[in-house]
Amino acid sequence: VEISNIPRLGWIGRSDGQTDSKAARTVTDQADVVEAIIVMRKGENPTEVVKGIEDKVNYMNQYVLPADTKIVPYYDRSDLINYATHTVLHNLIEGVLLVVVLISLFLFDWRATAIVAVIIPISLLFAFICLHLMHMSANLLSLGAVDFGIILDGTIVMVEGIFVILNHKAREVGMERFNKLSKLGLIKKSAAEIGKRPFFLNVIIITALLPIFAFQKVEGKMFSPLAYTLSFALLGSLITTLTLVPVLISILMRRNVKEKHNPIMEPVMSLMLKGFVKTYRYKEIVVVASIILMLIGVFSFKYLGSEFLPQLDEGSIWLRIQANYSISLEKSVQISKQARGIIMGFPQVRYCVSQTGRPDDGTDVTGFYNNEFDILMYPEEDWKPKIAKAELIDEMNKALSIIPGVNLNFSQPIMDNVEEAVSGVKGSICLKIFGDSLNYMEGELVDCYNVLKDVKGIEDLGIMHNIGQPEIDINLDQHKMALYGVASAQANAVISMAIGGLGPGGVPASTLYEGIKTFDIRVRLPEQYRKSPEQLGELLVPTMSGSKVPIKEIADIEPKTGACLIYRDENKRYAALKFSVRGRDMGSTIAEAKQKIDKKVHLKRGYSMAFQGDFENLQRAQKRLAQVVPISLLLIFILLLSMFGNFKDALLVFINVPFAIAGGMIALHITGTDFSISAGIGFICLFGICIQDGIILITMFKENLMHVGGKGSFYYDLEKMEMESKHLLQDSREKKYGPLYNAIKLGVNARIRPVMMTALMAAIGLLPAALSHGIGSESSRPLARVVIGGILSAMIFSLWVFPLIFGWAYRNFHKGKMTDDSKDV
């Protein structure tokens, strides 16, 4: 009653005494144990619910329960939440610190660094407010994959652009006069001009996230919070960039704005500029080589392993042991005790609690043959000896294999529930045969079993038998019944009273009333008279003449094995075998399994076969990505068209996408990471991120083309830029390239810092997540690695190869301009 008063809580109770652990034995001192399972209702906040349970349990232990009775939790999901939260917050804080340090190294001005850094908590707060308004909570993925480098890209463009303008103004009029000038008009005008780029950058990144919102089922539940969190944070960053940032600049940068000598980053930027000069000299070779590398990177996807999602380490193991369907309760409990003794022999195991029979809520149709074990582990850093969790599972599997006639399946508590909800089969992946005949389908499953047991990577292989229930089949012979004068109703009445049909058996004779409760009183033959088919055959059935005849004279009685369970999916009968994949990626494992089964197993007409479970999730998510990603790319291209107003520039910027994809693929190969939906989300994020470098550069290139050699603009005054960066045109061999080369080179030199800064910020912001191996890091690690690899390759391409392609596309620009000028004259 006390527990049930907690809001947002469901309650399941049991008292079968099937618990056995070191802690339980110590606390109870061999007393009776009652187990209770408390479950949270759908859509509630686990942190609030767990806190309410803990408070209520402490209250009951102190004030409600007798002195010799205590509630002892043995499995608490808050432990997993705390471990995962620690990992996520650790990665998040490290990412923020690295981003701030990188900003300070590039801008080399404490005021600019402070302005950019203050946007981090504001954008995150804005995202949390929006999530709260949508009744969504922050979770492992929504926080673990947030990259403040991506969120701050638009802010960097704004701050760096206005800083350069103010620095130029100070050089133009002198610092003393600059400090006395009112700079509000200049800041306002500059913010209005530069603000278009952050606006389009953030809108494009949010547009690229649209495929995530289209995910379904498991992947939709897991990744939609990430899309919402990142989109809200980008929106908050955009709003503050267009409003608060210019105000902060006007306050903090009123005086002494000067770009200082940067001994750390200037050599790096000089190296990047020299790299561009080298690539321009051999531009044909560089472009061809980069295209070949891009094609190799993209087509290397077929050699990547694939899986639905990296397995989240829950810090515990869920073991299922299935025996023969006909096993007795006593024998099943004996097996359970034997298994618990073996499991508790491992020093890494803290608790082992078993359940025999059907689950507590009665939702699964199962019997005494089913034993489930919740194995809770000590923290992995305390394990002695130090082994990997996969190796521990292998050792447990070998140790438990001495139990004869059982089927083992290793999973984790949350994962087990999800897997069973997805496929309806107690296993990570299953193979289902759909049809009518249970005997035929099980026969074919045996052939499939013999094929799959030799496939590398397949573990915990077992058939989920439909057939296995011992039965006594009594077939009445109507011809013999007519000879003896026995009516069918009389024969069925004797059989029903003797052994019963459906339900508890026996024939209702009366009713027992206890208050408002009613119970049937049934008449049934004593067990000693119905133990065997021979004894049943001696039962006497009355005839119409008043005599009696044994049932064996009018019926065929024989024992047989019938259907114990009949599984259905979409109203179709199926038989299934289950298995897990360990030590190999799921995609190649299932591909090999399908190939071998298609070659050796041929079903009759009317029967079909399908792999389901995690593999089904992977196929569904990949299919949805194939549908929505092209739509997202088309929307991005339309945004670029609206931004530039012409097809050529939009296509040039869009070229960044395949090079970024190639970089992400290479990162997966180098780190040995399989392609998963998490990695797919990383590629989706790349679509929006990699385009910003092209936008920054192509805008500068085109403005330089219009103004190169002219006067009146600090960006494009060639003589002043040449004085400030003497190394730009010192090489006489470079002057032969003409104004197009000079315009591109000046653009690269002016935009090396913002391109490198935005790219490196996005990469370094996710570096802790890419390197982390703590509990909860598995889901965000592939995403982080893809983004880092893709954004770094896009940066190199943008500074060294993209200018070459732009130069080829605009090779006739000045010729056309000269022709137009002569016409004007």
Side-chain angles (χ1 to χ4, degrees):
V1 175
E2 290 288 344
I3 284 287
S4 62
N5 290 333
I6 300 177
R8 302 176 297 276
L9 199 65
W11 166 263
I12 300 172
R14 59 176 288 156
S15 58
D16 56 6
Q18 290 297 314
T19 181
D20 186 13
S21 68
K22 293 177 181 177
R25 287 197 297 269
T26 302
V27 173
T28 60
D29 193 21
Q30 297 182 349
D32 289 336
V33 176
V34 177
E35 180 185 4
I37 297 178
I38 302 171
V39 295
M40 186 182 69
R41 293 175 184 168
K42 182 179 179 181
E44 299 299 338
N45 189 329
T47 304
E48 296 178 6
V49 174
V50 170
K51 182 64 170 58
I53 295 172
E54 290 176 349
D55 293 342
K56 189 64 70 172
V57 167
N58 292 334
Y59 171 79
M60 287 191 294
N61 280 338
Q62 293 181 25
Y63 303 109
V64 178
L65 296 175
D68 60 347
T69 304
K70 296 293 181 184
I71 296 177
V72 182
Y74 68 86
Y75 179 69
D76 188 345
R77 291 278 171 89
S78 61
D79 295 335
L80 174 61
I81 296 173
N82 292 334
Y83 280 125
T85 302
H86 176 268
T87 300
V88 170
L89 292 179
H90 183 268
N91 295 341
L92 202 61
I93 293 172
E94 283 187 351
V96 170
L97 293 177
L98 288 174
V99 166
V100 172
V101 170
L102 188 66
I103 294 171
S104 62
L105 290 177
F106 269 102
L107 297 179
F108 222 61
D109 185 280
W110 71 268
R111 294 168 296 182
T113 302
I115 292 171
V116 176
V118 79
I119 304 302
I120 295 177
I122 294 176
S123 58
L124 191 60
L125 177 61
F126 182 87
F128 285 160
I129 292 173
C130 293
L131 289 174
H132 180 73
L133 293 176
M134 294 187 65
H135 305 288
M136 297 177 64
S137 60
N139 63 17
L140 187 64
L141 273 172
S142 62
L143 290 181
V146 168
D147 184 358
F148 287 105
I150 300 172
I151 294 170
L152 295 178
D153 281 348
T155 308
I156 289 293
V157 172
M158 177 70 78
V159 173
E160 197 269 347
I162 297 179
F163 181 82
V164 170
I165 292 174
L166 293 177
N167 172 66
H168 173 76
K169 189 67 176 178
R171 291 189 180 188
E172 185 180 30
V173 302
M175 189 61 68
E176 183 177 354
R177 185 182 175 188
F178 173 81
N179 291 338
K180 297 178 181 179
L181 289 175
S182 174
K183 292 168 278 293
L184 289 177
L186 179 61
I187 293 174
K188 180 180 178 181
K189 180 181 178 182
S190 303
E193 293 177 356
I194 300 173
K196 297 177 183 178
R197 277 175 284 175
F199 174 79
F200 274 98
L201 287 177
N202 285 18
V203 170
I204 287 173
I205 294 175
I206 293 174
T207 303
L209 297 176
L210 291 179
I212 305 178
F213 295 105
F215 278 146
Q216 302 169 305
K217 296 186 178 180
V218 178
E219 61 274 18
K221 292 287 185 182
M222 295 190 66
F223 288 102
S224 59
L226 164 64
Y228 279 111
T229 304
L230 192 54
S231 298
F232 290 145
L234 286 168
L235 182 59
S237 174
L238 176 61
I239 294 173
T240 52
T241 297
L242 298 179
T243 56
L244 180 61
V245 168
V247 174
L248 293 177
I249 291 175
S250 67
I251 295 173
L252 296 178
M253 295 186 180
R254 290 180 296 180
R255 301 172 60 85
N256 301 326
V257 177
K258 181 180 180 181
E259 190 164 351
K260 304 171 186 176
H261 172 66
N262 192 332
I264 300 175
M265 299 311 302
E266 282 185 4
V268 177
M269 293 188 287
S270 176
L271 178 65
M272 296 301 294
L273 184 62
K274 291 178 180 178
F276 162 73
V277 173
K278 291 289 186 182
T279 57
Y280 201 91
R281 289 180 183 174
Y282 308 100
K283 52 187 176 182
E284 291 84 2
I285 298 176
V286 171
V287 171
V288 172
S290 61
I291 292 175
I292 293 175
L293 288 176
M294 181 268 292
L295 293 175
I296 292 175
V298 172
F299 284 103
S300 68
F301 173 77
K302 63 186 298 184
Y303 299 104
L304 279 174
S306 61
E307 58 184 351
F308 176 56
L309 282 174
Q311 288 190 1
L312 170 67
D313 184 5
E314 301 177 28
S316 58
I317 298 173
W318 188 267
L319 170 64
R320 193 186 304 271
I321 297 181
Q322 287 193 335
N324 293 327
Y325 285 161
S326 58
I327 193 171
S328 65
L329 175 60
E330 292 76 14
K331 181 61 177 177
S332 184
V333 171
Q334 181 182 342
I335 290 176
S336 177
K337 290 180 178 180
Q338 182 183 1
R340 288 200 304 271
I342 295 172
I343 293 168
M344 292 303 298
F346 288 87
Q348 297 84 0
V349 176
R350 185 178 182 182
Y351 299 117
C352 179
V353 182
S354 67
Q355 301 177 69
T356 298
R358 66 175 178 82
D360 305 276
D361 56 0
T363 54
D364 284 349
V365 181
T366 186
F368 301 137
Y369 58 86
N370 186 64
N371 282 285
E372 300 180 18
F373 300 79
D374 193 358
I375 307 171
L376 280 82
M377 323 297 296
Y378 287 105
E380 198 162 338
E381 57 268 17
D382 298 335
W383 287 7
K384 293 180 182 180
K386 295 284 187 181
I387 61 173
K389 188 175 180 181
E391 295 175 343
L392 177 62
I393 291 176
D394 288 338
E395 291 186 8
M396 285 185 178
N397 194 14
K398 293 176 182 177
L400 291 167
S401 62
I402 64 172
I403 303 175
V406 298
N407 195 338
L408 306 177
N409 186 76
F410 288 89
S411 185
Q412 299 182 100
I414 298 175
M415 184 186 302
D416 181 78
N417 286 307
V418 173
E419 291 168 350
E420 190 172 353
V422 169
S423 64
V425 174
K426 305 176 191 299
S428 174
I429 307 173
C430 65
L431 172 63
K432 292 181 179 179
I433 297 179
F434 296 89
D436 296 328
S437 173
L438 299 179
N439 290 300
Y440 172 76
M441 290 190 291
E442 288 215 4
E444 295 300 311
L445 279 181
V446 172
D447 295 339
C448 294
Y449 179 95
N450 293 330
V451 173
L452 293 180
K453 69 180 181 181
D454 297 326
V455 177
K456 181 182 177 182
I458 290 183
E459 304 287 346
D460 304 334
L461 184 63
I463 297 177
M464 310 298 293
H465 292 282
N466 297 68
I467 307 299
Q469 176 67 49
E471 295 179 353
I472 295 178
D473 191 15
I474 303 176
N475 289 314
L476 297 175
D477 189 325
Q478 297 295 328
H479 180 68
K480 292 181 179 179
M481 290 170 63
L483 292 176
Y484 285 104
V486 177
S488 297
Q490 292 289 346
N492 288 328
V494 171
I495 295 172
S496 179
M497 182 178 66
I499 59 176
L502 298 176
V507 177
S510 184
T511 303
L512 173 65
Y513 293 90
E514 290 184 1
I516 62 173
K517 299 178 181 178
T518 60
F519 305 92
D520 286 337
I521 299 175
R522 293 179 172 270
V523 177
R524 196 177 189 191
L525 201 66
E527 186 176 357
Q528 61 266 29
Y529 299 111
R530 50 183 173 85
K531 284 185 176 180
S532 65
E534 291 74 17
Q535 288 178 323
L536 292 175
E538 298 299 331
L539 294 177
L540 299 177
V541 179
T543 65
M544 294 181 182
S545 62
S547 61
K548 295 181 179 180
V549 62
I551 290 181
K552 64 182 180 181
E553 299 296 333
I554 60 171
D556 296 324
I557 305 174
E558 59 179 353
K560 61 180 294 188
T561 301
C564 176
L565 299 170
I566 299 179
Y567 296 105
R568 289 184 179 272
D569 188 355
E570 296 183 354
N571 206 30
K572 297 179 181 178
R573 280 186 176 186
Y574 72 85
L577 59 78
K578 56 85 183 176
F579 59 91
S580 303
V581 176
R582 291 198 294 271
R584 185 181 178 185
D585 72 284
M586 182 174 62
S588 63
T589 304
I590 301 299
E592 180 183 347
K594 291 181 68 175
Q595 181 182 8
K596 290 184 175 181
I597 286 179
D598 291 341
K599 184 177 181 181
K600 297 183 178 181
V601 180
H602 304 283
L603 300 178
K604 295 192 302 186
R605 185 180 181 86
Y607 293 82
S608 60
M609 184 186 306
F611 285 90
Q612 293 185 356
D614 277 351
F615 180 71
E616 179 187 17
N617 291 334
L618 176 63
Q619 285 187 313
R620 182 183 62 251
Q622 288 180 339
K623 182 179 179 181
R624 180 51 62 105
L625 282 175
Q627 293 172 343
V628 298
V629 166
I631 298 175
S632 176
L633 292 175
L634 178 61
L635 291 176
I636 293 175
F637 189 76
I638 292 173
L639 286 173
L640 292 174
L641 279 177
S642 65
M643 181 179 181
F644 293 111
N646 66 82
F647 187 85
K648 180 194 291 187
D649 291 345
L651 186 60
L652 284 173
V653 173
F654 211 74
I655 293 176
N656 285 271
V657 173
F659 284 91
I661 293 176
M665 294 291 181
I666 293 172
L668 292 179
H669 282 290
I670 292 175
T671 57
T673 306
D674 294 331
F675 179 84
S676 62
I677 301 306
S678 178
I681 301 298
F683 284 109
I684 291 174
C685 294
L686 269 182
F687 295 155
I689 301 169
C690 66
I691 284 176
Q692 64 185 349
D693 294 341
I695 294 175
I696 293 172
L697 287 171
I698 201 170
T699 304
M700 178 58 69
F701 292 160
K702 293 194 69 176
E703 290 177 348
N704 284 357
L705 287 176
M706 296 298 297
H707 297 87
V708 68
K711 306 289 182 181
S713 172
F714 80 93
Y715 275 130
Y716 320 109
D717 191 328
L718 185 59
E719 295 177 359
K720 292 183 179 179
M721 289 293 293
E722 188 174 355
M723 291 175 61
E724 295 178 0
S725 304
K726 295 180 180 179
H727 62 279
L728 284 181
L729 299 175
Q730 284 179 350
D731 193 341
S732 59
R733 291 176 299 174
E734 297 174 14
K735 296 181 180 180
K736 66 180 181 179
Y737 296 129
L740 176 62
Y741 169 76
N742 294 332
I744 295 175
K745 187 175 181 180
L746 288 173
V748 171
N749 181 68
R751 283 294 172 252
I752 285 179
R753 182 169 63 182
V755 168
M756 289 188 64
M757 188 160 43
T758 54
L760 291 178
M761 278 175 51
I764 205 169
L766 286 175
L767 186 62
L771 300 178
S772 176
H773 286 82
I775 290 180
S777 65
E778 298 87 353
S779 53
S780 58
R781 194 186 306 137
L783 184 152
R785 290 175 176 176
V786 166
V787 172
I788 291 174
I791 202 67
L792 291 180
S793 66
M795 180 189 73
I796 299 296
F797 169 79
S798 298
L799 293 176
W800 288 356
V801 183
F802 178 74
L804 310 181
I805 299 175
F806 175 87
W808 175 81
Y810 280 86
R811 60 191 181 279
N812 298 321
F813 179 81
H814 286 97
K815 294 180 181 180
K817 185 177 180 182
M818 291 176 61
T819 304
D820 294 339
D821 292 342
S822 63
K823 289 181 180 179
D824 293 338
V825 172

